[in-house]
Amino acid sequence: MAKVQAVDEQCPVELGLNILSGKWKLKILWHLSKGTIRFNELQRLLGNITTKTLTEQLRELEEQGIILRTVFPEAPPRVEYSLSEIGCTLKPILGELCEWGKTYQEYQQKKEDLEVLQ
């Protein structure tokens, strides 16, 4: 049986990766880093994510304190998601990850261009 480590005993990198891991969480956070978004809009932005999966991912991020869920008492109910205070500290990290991704795309393109020339 695996022993569960307390949060304060985990390696900080491991903790961060555990929170952000999965196919959808970084994409969700990237869109939320641009501002408050309603559920259906977020689902459209993400493309082929199921309602169930999006709901699960949002619940996990909310439980971890990374995002905020605001329900407006209207008919039909309106639900909006945004980054929490601690979630906002991810903005520079997401920005840097985006820049690194662009750099890597350029690297791969140059590599492919050199292979074509050979």
Side-chain angles (χ1 to χ4, degrees):
M1 179 183 241
K3 183 178 177 186
V4 178
Q5 282 185 307
V7 171
D8 61 344
E9 295 174 3
Q10 278 186 315
C11 166
V13 171
E14 182 182 2
L15 178 61
L17 289 174
N18 284 340
I19 289 170
L20 303 175
S21 67
K23 179 178 178 180
W24 298 106
K25 285 186 181 174
L26 284 172
K27 293 175 187 178
I28 291 167
L29 293 170
W30 175 251
H31 290 297
L32 291 177
S33 73
K34 298 174 184 176
T36 301
I37 301 177
R38 292 175 69 171
F39 184 91
N40 288 335
E41 181 184 356
L42 186 55
Q43 191 169 24
R44 276 192 300 277
L45 288 169
L46 293 168
N48 61 346
I49 188 170
T50 66
T51 301
K52 179 182 182 232
T53 300
L54 179 56
T55 299
E56 288 170 357
Q57 297 293 289
L58 290 169
R59 281 186 184 145
E60 285 179 25
L61 289 166
E62 184 183 11
E63 286 170 10
Q64 294 164 330
I66 307 298
I67 66 169
L68 301 172
R69 179 177 186 263
T70 306
V71 180
F72 295 89
E74 302 171 352
R78 178 171 47 121
V79 179
E80 293 182 343
Y81 294 90
S82 59
L83 294 177
S84 66
E85 186 176 342
I86 192 70
C88 284
T89 64
L90 287 167
K91 285 183 181 182
I93 296 164
L94 294 168
E96 286 296 318
L97 189 56
C98 180
E99 289 304 312
W100 183 86
K102 290 176 187 176
T103 301
Y104 188 74
Q105 283 176 327
E106 292 170 8
Y107 165 78
Q108 287 293 96
Q109 188 60 52
K110 287 178 186 175
K111 185 177 165 187
E112 288 174 13
D113 292 346
L114 286 173
E115 289 173 359
V116 169
L117 292 174
Q118 294 177 355

